[in-house]
């Protein structure tokens, strides 16, 4: 959302999510870990194929340099046009709820893991890029275990972590 005000052009961004609860089946994480493990190379042909892909990096790097040389000036002009259209100020209100993982522990019960809720916001009414005030809050982080009998043990009780960040180009510093 972009608001054109009398003294400034304000970009307002709001985003809000609800937590997603994931109930994992026994053996789920073992299958995921098996998928991301590096495969064992049993022959030289497989090793050569991987090396060939690594060698392609230099080719792509050369092509990128050629494109930058050929189109660099038009890219700079396009960037200048984009910068002219940027809003003068920004107002953020972003709230993201992390998933809640319910992980069964064979023969014992289940564990619950959640990073909680993350909030990122600028000061009320928005702020100019030259004078930014941002607050970050990570709340309701939980790690708990529930036995087969239904007994709950909070390993990490719902906890909050707050961080404030202020930047002012007039002061030429950042306060945390």
């Amino acid at each position: 959302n972009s608001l054109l005000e009398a003294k400034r052009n304000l970009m307002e961004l709001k985003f809000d999510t609800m937590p997603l609860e994931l109930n994992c089946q026994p053996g789920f994480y073992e299958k995921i870990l098996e998928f991301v493990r590096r495969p064992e190379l049993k022959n030289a042909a497989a090793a050569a194929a991987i090396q060939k892909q690594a060698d392609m990096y230099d080719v792509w790097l050369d092509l990128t340099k050629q494109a930058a040389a050929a189109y660099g000036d038009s890219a700079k002009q396009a960037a200048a046009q984009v910068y002219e259209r940027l809003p003068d100020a920004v107002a953020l209100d972003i709230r993201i709820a992390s998933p809640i993982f319910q992980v069964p522990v064979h023969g014992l019960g289940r564990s619950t893991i959640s990073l909680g809720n993350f909030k990122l916001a600028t000061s009320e009414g928005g702020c100019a890029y030259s004078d930014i005030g941002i607050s970050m809050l990570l709340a309701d982080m939980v790690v708990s275990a529930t036995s087969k009998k239904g007994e709950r043990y909070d390993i990490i009780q719902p906890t909050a972590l707050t961080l404030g960040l202020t930047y002012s180009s007039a002061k030429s510093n950042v306060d945390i």
Side-chain angles (χ1 to χ4, degrees):
N1 191 13
S2 186
L3 303 173
L4 189 57
E5 297 178 348
K7 295 184 179 181
R8 65 182 182 171
N9 182 9
L10 174 68
M11 180 179 70
E12 190 174 63
L13 178 65
K14 292 184 179 187
F15 186 77
D16 198 357
T17 66
M18 298 299 290
L20 173 69
E21 190 163 330
L22 301 171
N23 291 297
C24 304
Q25 298 296 320
F28 174 77
Y29 289 105
E30 290 82 3
K31 290 178 185 176
I32 296 269
L33 291 174
E34 189 63 35
F35 179 75
V36 298
R37 282 193 187 114
R38 183 177 178 179
E40 293 181 24
L41 300 177
K42 296 182 180 178
N43 60 34
I50 290 173
Q51 184 59 43
K52 183 179 178 182
Q53 289 178 348
D55 292 341
M56 289 298 294
Y57 171 77
D58 292 330
V59 172
W60 283 107
L61 184 62
D62 288 339
L63 288 173
T64 302
K65 287 179 181 177
Q66 291 173 12
Y71 302 108
D73 292 336
S74 61
K76 288 179 186 176
Q77 290 174 353
Q81 291 175 349
V82 169
Y83 290 136
E84 288 176 13
R85 295 180 181 167
L86 284 178
D88 303 326
V90 64
L92 300 175
D93 185 12
I94 300 171
R95 300 164 195 233
I96 300 172
S98 79
I100 300 169
F101 294 96
Q102 302 283 349
V103 183
V105 180
H106 183 68
L108 299 174
R110 71 171 198 264
S111 60
T112 302
I113 303 166
S114 175
L115 290 177
N117 301 307
F118 175 74
K119 179 181 177 184
L120 176 73
T122 55
S123 51
E124 188 68 31
C127 54
Y129 297 114
S130 60
D131 194 21
I132 295 178
I134 294 177
S135 65
M136 290 178 268
L137 172 67
L138 187 59
D140 303 324
M141 295 181 285
V142 174
V143 177
S144 67
T146 305
S147 71
K148 281 188 159 185
K149 296 177 185 178
E151 301 164 320
R152 181 182 165 117
Y153 303 96
D154 288 326
I155 299 163
I156 297 177
Q157 293 190 5
T159 306
L161 174 67
T162 304
L163 176 68
L165 175 73
T166 305
Y167 167 78
S168 176
S169 62
K171 297 178 187 175
S172 297
N173 66 354
V174 176
D175 294 329
I176 297 177

